[in-house]
Amino acid sequence: MSRQDKIVKTSIIGIVVNLILVAFKATIGILVNSIAITLDAVNNLTDALSSIIIIIGTKLAGKAPDKNHPYGYGRIEYFSSVIIAAIVLWAGITALMESWPKIFNPDVTSYTTVSLVIIAVAVIVKFALGKYVKNVGEEINSQALVASGSDAFFDAILSLSTLVAAIISIFWHISLEGILGVIISIVIIKASIDMLRETLDSMIGARVDSDLSQKIKSSICEIPQVYGAYDLSLHNYGPEDMQGSVHVEIDDSLTALEIHNLSRMISFKIFEEFSIILTVGIYARNDKFSPIRNELENIVSQYEEVLEIHGFIAYEDQNLITFDMIVDFDADRQRVKNEILTKIKEKHPEFDYIIIDDYDVSD
């Protein structure tokens, strides 16, 4: 089964289960005059609508690349997640507006044994559905499914709270409907904001996952001719379409054909292991000037703000040395840069130096 088919199948299961829960909860909520149960039913309805949007978004995202969209339509999945987050946010705000007055003017509720049993069953069903949807989402890297599964877990917890409130109402005749409704709505609003923030981070271009970055660099460095991998940059064109670039440090004695073959080897290796298309750039390593490089590394080691230097190259005919330096975002970059430049020039004044600013986009 393809990734798209798995998303559609999981979403259909979610739609069916949520609509069944909507029917039962809405009926019970009206019969026993419970605002909390009724709002819980509305929340299940928005979950079913979210699953429909996931299906539509997945179908659109699966369209083949064309002339106007050469990278495909994969990012439509992120728009689906934004719409889902907006729907959940709307449901939370509506619930809050309905629940707040009930705190001061509580309704009289009359729970029955049957209604309590149905609520308890709904809790179990929602927990099972949430676990299933979230596991599938993590397995196939679907942010929308993971969010939908997490939301189902929230629903189960909220339904459990409704059950507890019902039991308190029966035995102690205390109405917690309004308070519980407010709590439910706040939790829904928070979940929607978290979902929205996570999706927008992916759309804007969030920092490369540290674990993934290290794995890719380690894989590249397994190739004998590679001394180091730097400047890894990944661009997301959808959950299953990632492209990027990396610089590798190799011996400056390699021929153009050897470099060509090495670049292809790296690209194929990373695509096979991570399904990521990488463009490979080159840093030449000239061991003749290793002593200067070692001195530079000793100087840099005195600065905690400096995360890494790389791309060191000496142009003997121009008396010029250049290198890239990554400085922490929160540091005074210019001060650190000037101090390091001063110290290395004191040791080797025969060279001019160019420090190329680099940024910590991946670990």
Side-chain angles (χ1 to χ4, degrees):
M1 186 180 293
S2 68
R3 177 178 181 274
Q4 185 180 96
D5 290 338
K6 287 182 179 180
I7 293 176
V8 172
K9 175 188 173 184
T10 305
S11 298
I12 290 175
I13 292 173
I15 292 170
V16 173
V17 172
N18 278 302
L19 288 180
I20 292 174
L21 291 175
V22 167
F24 279 108
K25 288 182 179 180
T27 301
I28 294 172
I30 293 171
L31 290 177
V32 304
N33 195 27
S34 170
I35 183 64
I37 297 177
T38 303
L39 290 176
D40 212 0
V42 174
N43 193 32
N44 286 142
L45 185 61
T46 62
D47 291 344
L49 180 58
S50 297
S51 295
I52 294 173
I53 293 172
I54 290 175
I55 293 175
I56 296 173
T58 300
K59 290 292 186 181
L60 292 175
K63 291 176 61 179
D66 53 39
K67 183 177 181 180
N68 293 325
H69 304 89
Y71 296 107
Y73 293 81
R75 285 180 174 172
I76 288 179
E77 281 197 36
Y78 296 137
F79 287 101
S80 300
S81 297
V82 170
I83 295 173
I84 291 171
I87 291 173
V88 176
L89 179 61
W90 169 81
I93 293 174
T94 302
L96 182 62
M97 293 174 63
E98 291 287 338
S99 301
W100 182 256
K102 301 293 182 182
I103 296 177
F104 308 100
N105 298 293
D107 291 328
V108 178
T109 56
S110 54
Y111 294 103
T112 64
T113 303
V114 174
S115 66
L116 294 180
V117 170
I118 292 178
I119 295 173
V121 172
V123 171
I124 297 173
V125 171
K126 264 298 188 176
F127 266 121
L129 179 65
K131 182 176 177 59
Y132 169 70
V133 173
K134 188 173 183 179
N135 286 347
V136 174
E138 291 175 346
E139 177 189 342
I140 62 178
N141 190 27
S142 171
Q143 196 173 62
L145 283 183
V146 171
S148 181
S150 299
D151 191 35
F153 276 120
F154 277 122
D155 292 345
I157 294 172
L158 298 177
S159 295
L160 181 60
S161 301
T162 302
L163 183 62
V164 172
I167 295 173
I168 292 174
S169 176
I170 292 172
F171 288 98
W172 287 281
H173 304 289
I174 300 174
S175 177
L176 299 178
E177 295 292 316
I179 296 174
L180 184 58
V182 169
I183 294 174
I184 289 174
S185 58
I186 291 174
V187 172
I188 293 172
I189 291 171
K190 182 183 182 303
S192 66
I193 292 173
D194 290 342
M195 189 190 311
L196 187 62
R197 182 176 61 249
E198 182 179 350
T199 304
L200 290 178
D201 281 344
S202 297
M203 295 174 69
I204 294 170
R207 180 186 182 86
V208 177
D209 178 71
S210 177
D211 185 53
L212 175 62
S213 172
Q214 292 297 334
K215 286 180 179 178
I216 293 174
K217 291 179 180 179
S218 296
S219 178
I220 294 173
C221 291
E222 290 174 358
I223 299 174
Q225 299 99 316
V226 176
Y227 294 109
Y230 310 98
D231 303 329
L232 177 64
S233 178
L234 299 177
H235 309 286
N236 198 323
Y237 294 98
E240 291 295 294
D241 186 3
M242 191 172 287
Q243 302 180 28
S245 60
V246 68
H247 279 87
V248 295
E249 187 176 32
I250 60 175
D251 200 302
D252 64 352
S253 63
L254 294 180
T255 66
L257 180 59
E258 289 171 330
I259 293 173
H260 173 87
N261 292 335
L262 179 62
S263 299
R264 288 295 181 91
M265 184 189 305
I266 293 170
S267 295
F268 289 148
K269 188 174 191 294
I270 297 304
F271 185 76
E272 287 180 356
E273 294 180 9
F274 302 95
S275 298
I276 295 174
I277 300 173
L278 274 189
T279 300
V280 182
I282 301 299
Y283 285 139
R285 181 188 183 104
N286 43 5
D287 290 331
K288 179 179 178 180
F289 297 96
S290 291
I292 300 179
R293 176 174 180 159
N294 293 336
E295 287 181 307
L296 176 62
E297 289 176 344
N298 288 333
I299 293 172
V300 168
S301 67
Q302 302 169 19
Y303 293 84
E304 293 182 356
E305 308 96 317
V306 179
L307 305 180
E308 181 182 87
I309 61 168
H310 57 263
F312 179 94
I313 187 72
Y315 301 95
E316 192 171 8
D317 57 335
Q318 302 177 44
N319 294 325
L320 176 66
I321 290 177
T322 71
F323 58 92
D324 292 15
M325 184 167 68
I326 301 178
V327 181
D328 189 272
F329 280 110
D330 297 327
D332 185 343
R333 300 173 65 87
Q334 193 59 47
R335 177 189 63 79
V336 173
K337 184 176 176 180
N338 291 340
E339 289 182 9
I340 291 175
L341 190 60
T342 299
K343 290 179 180 180
I344 191 62
K345 287 196 76 168
E346 287 176 354
K347 291 181 176 292
H348 296 280
E350 70 274 19
F351 285 97
D352 292 323
Y353 299 86
I354 296 178
I355 300 178
I356 300 172
D357 284 319
D358 210 341
Y359 295 91
D360 183 26
V361 298
S362 66
D363 293 329

